[in-house]
Amino acid sequence: MVNQKRLDHRILQILIPAIMENALLTLSDMILTGYIGRLSVSQISAYGISSRIYGIYFAVFKGFAIGTMVIFARAFGAGDRRKAASLYKQATGIAVPVALAAAIIIWLIPETLLFSMSDDPSLLTVGASYLKINVLTYPLLALIHLNSAAFQADGNTKTPLYIATIGNAVSIVLGYVLIIGIGSYGGLGLTGAAITANIRIIVMAVVGLWLLFGNGVMFAQYKDVHMEMSVQSFKELVGFGIPTAIGNSFWNIAAVFLSTYILSYGQENYAAYQLGLQAEGFCDMMAAGFMTAAMSLAGKAIGAKDKEMYHQSYGRLNYYCLVISGINMVFLLLFSKPVLYLLTDKQNLVEIAHVYLLLMVFSQYPEMKSKVTYGFIRSAGYGTTPTVIDMIGIWGVRVFGCYLISMVFHLDIVWIWWIINADQWVRCLLSMAVCRVKRIIYLLEESGNEQIESCHI
């Protein structure tokens, strides 16, 4: 019999550090944005469009790492750390060369990539200059994400929190000096921002590797062991990693289209939407860790062939979905307006953004529930399914629906917010339907472990 108190404690051990890590990242981003906000308008705008390239790159390799967590977690669940270390090395051998190739392409044609977002020559020149420096450490992002995936697959979200704390502390301190300057030193502006980001990435990659392979840590005894590339492992890593990488990048790409549609209502509505997203960051922070917890607990239960742990993990995670989504709803209903006044003193923007946040109350539960069901679906071997669901929701409902509302029917912007809610509910209901049709929750009972040895469509 699985002890419920111990299971709850384990879930909270995963969720709380993940929430803290996300909160730290949000705070760090706000501080760095404040530094960059002191620069010229052209530098601020150039940073904005360059960050879109970074965001897509980040999302792709973060997605690949999330996908590999399923394979890592099964190895940990089976008590085979040697296999987990081997899988990590193989995943690194797949992701880092691809990340390097993508970084080289960005370095060679930054203006071409930025042109999709702006045709202002001065903006393209400044943005390209920033990218050519910043992209030098991009391949290490793949390594950082895989390091986190290895820890999180074992249910350890504290170590990624420590790594993020060190990296963000370096970024905040160096950022002030290199971007703004200190004393008689005037800073380097946007070039300083690029150098700061590079140093942060290098520090996080080095610290992560040391905490994985240093003396007395998780993979210490396997750091010098030669690991052979397994064809089966390669298929599983690619089968889980690539679909998740594609799905994880959907939102970043779709955001470009959504910005265009919302801008059609005027810059005031777009500015209010951006403020609303920042205020909604509290909800995103609270939702952090649900997919990690689901994939870690389900994957380890599958690896250990522990049916009871598998079932109870699903039930308790659903309980915490209700609790956390309830907290988020209360925040949006009662405290979102005061938060908006902290972000701006413009009454008209607050009123528009507040309507958006009130309507986002309806998205809180389906968004969190989807994270849990996605985690179990992937762990059960259906690596492509969540990506297909995301494609239907984000592109079929959100992007296409917002296009119809804004460009075809010219309805009030409030209907855009309802389309966003519809997207979250469609993805949630589809993922729940997959769980029911594929009998994901009863998979271990019905087929032992044979059905989940490889990735399914």
Side-chain angles (χ1 to χ4, degrees):
M1 178 70 179
V2 177
N3 186 300
Q4 183 174 305
K5 287 187 177 179
R6 289 182 62 186
L7 178 57
D8 283 352
H9 179 67
R10 188 68 184 137
I11 290 172
L12 293 175
Q13 278 187 319
I14 297 173
L15 290 179
I16 292 174
I19 290 170
M20 292 175 65
E21 181 184 354
N22 209 30
L24 177 66
L25 179 62
T26 301
L27 176 62
S28 174
D29 284 346
M30 288 176 66
I31 293 172
L32 287 174
T33 300
Y35 295 163
I36 293 168
R38 294 168 178 252
L39 304 178
S40 68
V41 173
S42 63
Q43 286 183 305
I44 296 170
S45 300
Y47 174 76
I49 62 172
S50 300
S51 295
R52 288 284 175 86
I53 304 297
Y54 171 84
I56 294 171
Y57 190 101
F58 182 97
V60 167
F61 291 98
K62 175 70 172 177
F64 180 83
I66 291 172
T68 61
M69 272 185 63
V70 173
I71 313 299
F72 296 162
R74 290 184 190 176
F76 285 125
D80 193 343
R81 287 188 176 269
R82 179 186 175 87
K83 183 178 180 182
S86 178
L87 288 166
Y88 167 85
K89 291 183 178 182
Q90 290 180 55
T92 302
I94 295 168
V96 172
V98 176
L100 180 60
I104 290 172
I105 292 171
I106 294 172
W107 190 86
L108 290 173
I109 56 168
E111 293 93 345
T112 304
L113 296 171
L114 294 172
F115 187 75
S116 63
M117 289 172 277
S118 173
D119 58 0
D120 185 329
S122 62
L123 205 60
L124 293 177
T125 301
V126 176
S129 177
Y130 172 84
L131 266 183
K132 286 178 83 74
I133 299 171
N134 191 212
V135 78
L136 295 175
T137 55
Y138 276 16
L140 292 179
L141 287 170
L143 200 58
I144 290 170
H145 292 321
L146 286 170
N147 292 345
S148 293
F151 290 117
Q152 291 168 347
D154 196 27
N156 176 4
T157 53
K158 289 183 180 179
T159 300
L161 170 61
Y162 299 150
I163 296 170
T165 301
I166 294 169
N168 285 304
V170 168
S171 181
I172 290 169
V173 174
L174 276 181
Y176 186 87
V177 176
L178 292 177
I179 298 170
I180 298 174
I182 187 168
S184 60
Y185 172 64
L188 299 173
L190 203 56
T191 299
I195 295 171
T196 298
N198 287 354
I199 293 173
R200 171 178 172 269
I201 289 171
I202 291 169
V203 167
M204 291 180 68
V206 171
V207 171
L209 285 173
W210 182 74
L211 291 174
L212 274 177
F213 292 99
N215 293 331
V217 293
M218 192 159 73
F219 293 151
Q221 58 187 315
Y222 308 115
K223 60 184 176 183
D224 298 322
V225 177
H226 178 67
M227 301 292 180
E228 295 290 337
M229 176 65 80
S230 162
V231 174
Q232 179 61 28
S233 295
F234 176 83
K235 288 181 178 179
E236 290 185 343
L237 289 167
V238 170
F240 282 99
I242 290 180
T244 313
I246 294 171
N248 209 50
S249 65
F250 276 167
W251 165 246
N252 296 79
I253 299 170
V256 176
F257 292 90
L258 291 174
S259 295
T260 302
Y261 302 150
I262 295 172
L263 273 169
S264 70
Y265 289 91
Q267 291 190 18
E268 184 178 81
N269 281 294
Y270 182 73
Y273 171 64
Q274 294 300 315
L275 287 172
L277 288 177
Q278 289 185 48
E280 199 181 5
F282 171 84
C283 301
D284 295 333
M285 177 185 76
M286 295 297 288
F290 272 99
M291 188 179 295
T292 297
M295 293 175 71
S296 175
L297 293 169
K300 291 181 78 171
I302 289 170
K305 302 181 181 180
D306 190 335
K307 302 173 187 177
E308 195 170 351
M309 173 63 78
Y310 187 78
H311 274 281
Q312 290 207 21
S313 295
Y314 184 78
R316 296 310 292 169
L317 282 170
N318 282 330
Y319 166 76
Y320 283 107
C321 272
L322 288 169
V323 172
I324 301 297
S325 60
I327 293 172
N328 283 356
M329 289 176 186
V330 171
F331 165 77
L332 291 173
L333 289 170
L334 301 181
F335 303 107
S336 58
K337 202 163 193 176
V339 170
L340 287 170
Y341 277 117
L342 293 175
L343 298 174
T344 183
D345 58 355
K346 296 177 175 59
Q347 176 71 28
N348 56 331
L349 295 185
V350 169
E351 294 302 327
I352 297 169
H354 190 228
V355 173
Y356 165 78
L357 290 172
L358 289 178
L359 291 181
M360 288 307 104
V361 166
F362 298 98
S363 284
Q364 298 311 304
Y365 177 73
E367 184 177 1
M368 291 189 199
K369 175 69 175 179
S370 296
K371 291 179 187 296
V372 174
T373 51
Y374 278 16
F376 274 78
I377 289 168
R378 286 195 175 104
S379 297
Y382 298 92
T384 307
T385 303
T387 301
V388 174
I389 294 173
D390 280 342
M391 182 173 66
I392 294 170
I394 294 176
W395 291 97
V397 177
R398 185 176 299 211
V399 173
F400 183 64
C402 289
Y403 165 76
L404 291 177
I405 293 295
S406 60
M407 302 299 186
V408 178
F409 299 114
H410 306 289
L411 299 177
D412 189 89
I413 196 169
V414 171
W415 288 99
I416 297 282
W417 315 149
W418 283 117
I419 289 293
I420 292 173
N421 276 318
D423 163 34
Q424 294 289 1
W425 276 102
V426 165
R427 283 188 279 164
C428 177
L429 294 173
L430 285 175
S431 66
M432 291 171 66
V434 168
C435 282
R436 179 177 291 274
V437 171
K438 299 292 185 181
R439 298 187 63 79
I440 300 295
I441 310 308
Y442 305 102
L443 201 65
L444 286 178
E445 291 183 2
E446 296 181 349
S447 59
N449 223 34
E450 299 85 355
Q451 187 177 336
I452 49 180
E453 288 301 319
S454 59
C455 180
H456 299 286
I457 299 298

